[in-house]
Amino acid sequence: MKNRIITISRESGSGGHTIGKKVAEKLGIPCYDSEVIHKLAKESGFSEKYVEEAGECAPKGLMEQVWSHRVMGPTNEDYIWKMQQEIIKDLAKKGPCVIVGRCADYILDDEADCLKVFIRADLKFRTDRVMKETGATRALTEGRLKNLDKRRTIYYRFYTDKKWGVADNYHLCLDSGALGIDKCVDIIASVY
Amino acid sequence: MKNRIITISRESGSGGHTIGKKVAEKLGIPCYDSEVIHKLAKESGFSEKYVEEAGECAPKGLMEQVWSHRVMGPTNEDYIWKMQQEIIKDLAKKGPCVIVGRCADYILDDEADCLKVFIRADLKFRTDRVMKETGATRALTEGRLKNLDKRRTIYYRFYTDKKWGVADNYHLCLDSGALGIDKCVDIIASVY
């Protein structure tokens, strides 16, 4: 039987990462996020900072049409995408787990018995959360969150041919701002 | 304090109606759907069959661009839309309740304390459900479901300027096929 995997996609700052960790803790299974990044960095030779973004976001400042062109052959992102797929498939084979981000919902579609979760919240809630952590200004934080989500949307669209954040792609979409982080954890754990 | 209202938007055949009824029963509050239709029919003079579709779906067989034109002034749908808004706002003022469909999530955005729910399921699950009820063939049922959802999407887009089925518009999106009808009821009731 296929392993049962929880994939968590999330809007930036929505607390998806915290929710993933808490769900994993509650269920007594591992939560992968940084592990994927470490492995990718090690095997690819790129820095962790680089693969963290390049494995989930389109590059900064490039328009979608420009980035999507492949006239010069595969890009670094294509290379990382291919490695990321293998690493995530390997992790899913090890046993039940939670995987946060990295398009795992798409990568594992035929590989595992997935519970696909999407975490979102309104911009104010997300900005407040991130400002508390970073101490940055509201304007800067909002700009960063919007930019990151835009680049994630482009990346997801390009590699999966699906639209990020559309309910049809997930079993469960939760508003962490309205429901609260702990309620989200409870709901996910209750349907695992 | 504003009344707490649960709005349920749903893909055709996903069981959103059944879920709405069961949630209302569990919470001991009314569930409105046909009531809106009855009132609309009574007050507008149109038949119930007509307002059932015209209050939620773009007309059959018309392209979005053609239907969206208003060179001849307001249409029957505009008239029904306006009445529907008033009826739904009035129902929301009466007390806590569940309202299924009719763009209630958008209409009540500033009027009530809403828990906005979207119910979806894959086409096979929805087709199987509807076939059991109607006895129609698979091809016919699939075609009808797709057509109905397409017309709902156009209607929602036109009157609300939002995209139907995008996670950002809801607090909770649930896959009734994967989670089961009763689990959806439990989750919604638990966050009310």
Side-chain angles (χ1 to χ4, degrees), chain B residues 117-179:
Chain B
V117 180
F118 184 78
I119 306 290
R120 64 158 302 265
D122 65 29
L123 187 62
K124 189 181 174 311
F125 174 84
R126 296 187 286 129
T127 308
D128 288 346
R129 269 194 87 244
V130 175
M131 281 170 68
K132 252 189 207 168
E133 276 174 30
T134 61
T137 65
R138 179 165 299 276
L140 193 70
T141 308
E142 275 192 11
R144 275 186 190 155
L145 291 177
K146 282 183 190 171
N147 182 264
L148 204 54
D149 282 344
K150 190 178 168 190
R151 288 163 54 209
R152 277 192 188 151
T153 307
I154 295 171
Y155 184 94
Y156 191 80
R157 179 79 183 164
F158 180 71
Y159 284 111
T160 73
D161 207 22
K162 287 182 165 189
K163 278 190 186 168
W164 194 66
V166 169
D168 261 5
N169 298 335
Y170 311 96
H171 299 123
L172 209 53
C173 303
L174 305 172
D175 181 330
S176 56
L179 306 174

Side-chain angles (χ1 to χ4, degrees), chain A residues 64-95:
Chain A
E64 187 173 0
Q65 294 80 348
V66 176
W67 179 60
S68 304
H69 266 293
R70 289 294 188 268
V71 281
M72 304 288 280
T75 63
N76 286 348
E77 287 87 8
D78 296 340
Y79 178 59
I80 288 176
W81 169 247
K82 208 168 146 45
M83 287 183 65
Q84 184 160 286
Q85 286 188 65
E86 296 311 314
I87 290 172
I88 286 176
K89 285 178 188 174
D90 282 349
L91 288 174
K93 274 180 202 146
K94 277 191 190 174

Side-chain angles (χ1 to χ4, degrees), chain B residues 21-40:
Chain B
K21 290 252 173 222
K22 286 192 169 192
V23 167
E25 214 168 277
K26 196 163 184 166
L27 297 171
I29 58 178
C31 176
Y32 301 124
D33 176 2
S34 50
E35 187 146 353
V36 180
I37 298 166
H38 291 324
K39 277 201 166 196
L40 262 172

